[in-house]
Each structure stands twice: as structure tokens, then as C-alpha cells.
Amino acid sequence: MGLLLAPAAIAQETARLDIGASSLISEKKGWWGRPSLELTLTLSQAVPYRAVIVGDPPRLIVDLKDTDFDELKPSQLFGHDSVPGIRWGDFRQNWSRIVLELPGPYDITSAGQRTLPPQATIRVALDPVDEEDFAPLPSATAALRNLPEPAVLPVPATPPEGLTVMLDPGHGGIDPGAIADGENEAELVLKFAKELKASLEAKGITIGMTRDSDVFVGLEARMTAAREAQADLFLSLHADALPTGQAAGATIYVWTPRADNRAAQQLATRHDRSDLLSGVDLKGKDDQLASVMMDFARTDTQPRSENFASFLTSRLALHGIGLHDRPVQGAAFSVLKSPDIPSVLLELGFITDPHDRANLISPEWRKRMVAVVTEAILGWAQDERARTAHLRQ
Ligand SMILES: [Zn+2]
């Protein structure tokens, strides 16, 4: 995500909307029914963007990075009256958001950005769909485009006030996790979590642990613990057996919804609903709506999880900790499913790999790793705080 705190990055140019060359075209394909829609945005330069459909009521959301609408009004857009409403404005730091209220359920049929330097054109095409085919859960992640790596920023000495992190050492009790050469995962990750806790607390960060001894804790109890602590970040720690054919090294996982609607619905069904999404009462809503609202919350949470994953990767690389070839991967680990708490799973290494195992049991290596994760959390928190401050302006 865009971390435009570095002085060099602040000087970066902002894209401007060329409203005369932008439009919303509607085209009726039959005698009745709703028209197809095509939104064209011409910008002074290419920008990262994402497009996503959300429900209740049906809307198209287009987020544009580093884009300034100046004093432009949606009513100046050619074809603005072909939908019930259009709004736009600053969304969060360095991101602007366009919201198109749709005249019914629609689907994105294509979205793309074409550059003709210096200009760029983003086109999002929508077709009407029947109510029963309306799927407003196309994972915000899948819609993320061209997000740049974070800049390497100076790490602040102190964290923003009131920062709470929930550490989640995996497994425990009846579930020892992966076992190799007399070592077990549950014990190793607990030892690491305790060392990390001490390091973070020394920086003034409030730390919760889903377990601090060798006990079994269910996956959902881990998420609930994070919510009860009002954690700003959930960090799950593992050191699993190396899957066949996979390279060793530290690996970071973020939730991949991959249109996993059923999983979201199961989660919504199984939980006490007020437990799932703080601030929004889902009691009495049907499952479909609950999962839509969860996904809507996740459109904000997912980029924040990915942002932390980027911070972690760049810090690991910077400090020469061995990384997997694809250091950030998506996975449907249920423990990462919290819709409203940025959640990341860190495989410190693989216990079945002799080199990784030697690292994991080495106090010196763990000390380095603890320092790296501490730095990543401080850097990420600073970036989060900058965004929030901007939102309050
Ligand atoms: Zn594990």
C-alpha cells in the first residue's frame, strides 16, 4: 500500500481527473430491463486502483490512489444521471473513492487501465444481473491492482499511543503442531511469542496472547480473544512442517477470500453475530446480508493486513532473514478471517527443514527475528496512524 510518508514520495505527482474526457455511458440491450454501464475515467497519469461491487444497496466502488478531484463535481460527469447517484472524495490517506449507486444488481464484466503517456484511462464495464445471481462479494483483494511496495521508512522510536497487538502462538496442548528431531512447533512458537512480547512491551505496546502456556485454544477462541482485547493487529506465529515441493524460509500469509462466500457464511452462522463485527449489529440480519457486511468491512481490513505483510517482508529482507521465494501468500486459514482486525500469519520457518530448525532453536537468530518483527509493527502502526489522522481532518 502507498506509504507516502517518505519525503521523496510526498513530492510524487498527484493524478488529476480529466472530466471532459471521462463519462458514464449506459446502453440498453433490449426493450426492457436495466442498461449496461461503462464508467470511463481519464487521468493525467496511471494510478493504482481497485473496483468492487458491494450490496445493500448495490454500489460500484472505485478507489484511486493519489488522485485529486480538485473542485470537480460528480454532476459535471457526462452521463451522471444514468445512475441514482454518484459521490466522490478523499477516502483515506492518498486514496480517493468514487461511489456509484446502481439502479439494481450488477456485475463487473471487465475492468482495466490503459496508458497513453502521460494520460491513463480506467474503464469499468458493468452488466445488470438477476437478484439471485448478484454476488457482491468478489473479494476486495482480487480487485486490488498494481499496489506498490512500501517505501523503506525510518522506524519510529515509540509506537502510537494505545496500540494493542494480539500474538497468537499456534497449536498447544493436545495439538503439538509439527514435530521434527525432538522439537515441536507449539513449544518453539510459544518461546518466540514470549520473547516478542517482551520486546514489544519494552516499546510501550500493549500485548495480548491467545495462550501463554502449553494449552489447547480453538481457532475461533483465538479470534475472539483478539476482538475482546480490541487488538489493532493479530499476528499468528507458526513453524510448520515443510509442504512437499515448497522452499523453506520465513513465509507470511494473509487471508485470501477467493470468493469464499460459503466460509464467510458459515462463520456468520456459527458465531454470535455481535461478536463478529464490532460496531455493526448483525443480529436479525440474514446470512447473506451478514456476509456482505463482513466483506464490506474487509474491503478496509484486507489492505491493512497486506500493508503489514509488506512491512514485514521489507524488514525481513532488509535484515537478511531468509525468506521463502514467494514470501507473501494467500491462504484460507480460518484464524485470519476476522473481518475487522488486520490479521497475518507468520511462518517463522519450517521445523522439518534442518536449516530453519537450527535457526528456530538458536537464541541469537530469534533475537534478530524479534527485532525485525518489532520494527515492522512499529512502522506499520505509524503508517496506520497517519491514515487515521488524515481521515479525521
Ligand atoms: Zn502451525
Side-chain angles (χ1 to χ4, degrees):
M1 292 284 301
L3 311 174
L4 300 181
L5 298 172
I10 284 170
Q12 197 178 326
E13 261 184 62
T14 302
R16 295 216 142 62
L17 181 68
D18 180 349
I19 197 134
S22 302
S23 60
L24 177 63
I25 304 291
S26 66
E27 190 193 349
K28 275 219 169 175
K29 289 188 175 157
W31 288 103
W32 58 82
R34 285 165 283 123
S36 295
L37 296 167
E38 187 177 83
L39 176 67
T40 302
L41 302 167
T42 300
L43 303 166
S44 57
Q45 68 187 56
V47 295
Y49 79 102
R50 60 179 178 172
V52 64
I53 298 270
V54 298
D56 190 41
R59 279 156 296 157
L60 167 71
I61 290 181
V62 183
D63 289 337
L64 303 163
K65 191 160 175 292
D66 299 321
T67 303
D68 190 355
F69 292 104
D70 298 309
E71 303 289 291
L72 298 170
K73 302 255 176 334
S75 58
Q76 294 170 267
L77 180 73
F78 178 85
H80 68 91
D81 46 4
S82 34
V83 291
I86 304 181
R87 299 183 299 279
W88 61 44
D90 286 350
F91 161 52
R92 53 170 43 186
Q93 194 178 34
N94 305 316
W95 284 87
S96 295
R97 173 166 278 191
I98 301 176
V99 180
L100 237 79
E101 284 173 35
L102 300 169
Y106 275 77
D107 219 8
I108 296 179
T109 50
S110 71
Q113 179 164 223
R114 201 172 286 171
T115 52
L116 190 66
Q119 284 204 316
T121 303
I122 291 172
R123 231 177 227 121
V124 183
L126 306 169
D127 271 346
V129 292
D130 291 337
E131 196 75 53
E132 58 268 29
D133 296 328
F134 185 46
L137 301 171
S139 79
T141 348
L144 288 166
R145 311 262 181 238
N146 311 326
L147 293 178
E149 291 300 306
V152 175
L153 303 174
V155 170
T158 54
E161 228 171 280
L163 182 69
T164 301
V165 177
M166 180 60 66
L167 298 181
D168 175 44
H171 313 279
I174 52 165
D175 169 21
I179 298 174
D181 202 28
E183 302 290 339
N184 78 67
E185 181 185 2
E187 216 170 278
L188 282 179
V189 296
L190 179 60
K191 187 180 276 182
F192 181 84
K194 285 179 173 170
E195 290 168 359
L196 180 58
K197 177 176 189 269
S199 162
L200 292 167
E201 282 177 342
K203 296 284 184 187
I205 301 173
T206 306
I207 301 300
M209 304 255 283
T210 55
R211 67 178 180 99
D212 59 7
S213 62
D214 190 21
V215 293
F216 177 80
V217 183
L219 293 179
E220 288 171 16
R222 294 170 191 258
M223 293 158 70
T224 303
R227 187 155 298 104
E228 277 171 358
Q230 300 187 352
D232 300 291
L233 179 69
F234 179 86
L235 178 58
S236 196
L237 300 163
H238 286 253
D240 281 285
L242 187 61
T244 348
Q246 183 164 358
T251 319
I252 297 149
Y253 292 91
V254 291
W255 167 252
T256 300
R258 204 164 285 156
D260 192 4
N261 301 357
R262 192 181 291 167
Q265 278 167 9
Q266 280 169 359
L267 191 72
T269 311
R270 279 204 313 272
H271 275 77
D272 169 16
R273 296 207 172 139
S274 61
D275 175 56
L276 273 180
L277 192 56
S278 51
V280 182
D281 184 11
L282 296 179
K283 284 200 179 97
K285 311 271 191 211
D286 65 70
D287 286 349
Q288 182 66 32
L289 180 55
S291 59
V292 168
M293 293 176 86
M294 278 171 56
D295 200 66
F296 193 58
R298 202 175 274 127
T299 62
D300 277 356
T301 307
Q302 187 75 20
R304 295 167 65 206
S305 302
E306 290 174 7
N307 193 18
F308 177 67
S310 301
F311 263 94
L312 204 45
T313 321
S314 63
R315 293 290 153 194
L316 288 165
L318 208 63
H319 292 274
I321 301 252
L323 281 166
H324 184 270
D325 301 339
R326 274 177 56 221
V328 180
Q329 301 189 25
F333 290 140
S334 17
V335 80
L336 301 178
K337 266 195 247 177
S338 291
D340 52 348
I341 302 174
S343 302
V344 165
L345 187 146
L346 171 62
E347 290 279 2
L348 296 161
F350 293 96
I351 197 171
T352 47
D353 179 79
H355 181 72
D356 279 5
R357 187 170 61 243
N359 283 342
L360 288 162
I361 57 181
S362 150
E364 290 77 36
W365 184 89
R366 288 203 307 273
K367 203 171 164 192
R368 268 174 69 206
M369 189 63 152
V370 160
V372 164
V373 178
T374 302
E375 256 191 36
I377 289 174
L378 286 170
W380 173 83
Q382 182 196 42
D383 183 62
E384 285 282 303
R385 201 51 58 110
R387 286 162 206 268
T388 314
H390 183 81
L391 278 177
R392 283 206 204 94
Q393 278 171 14

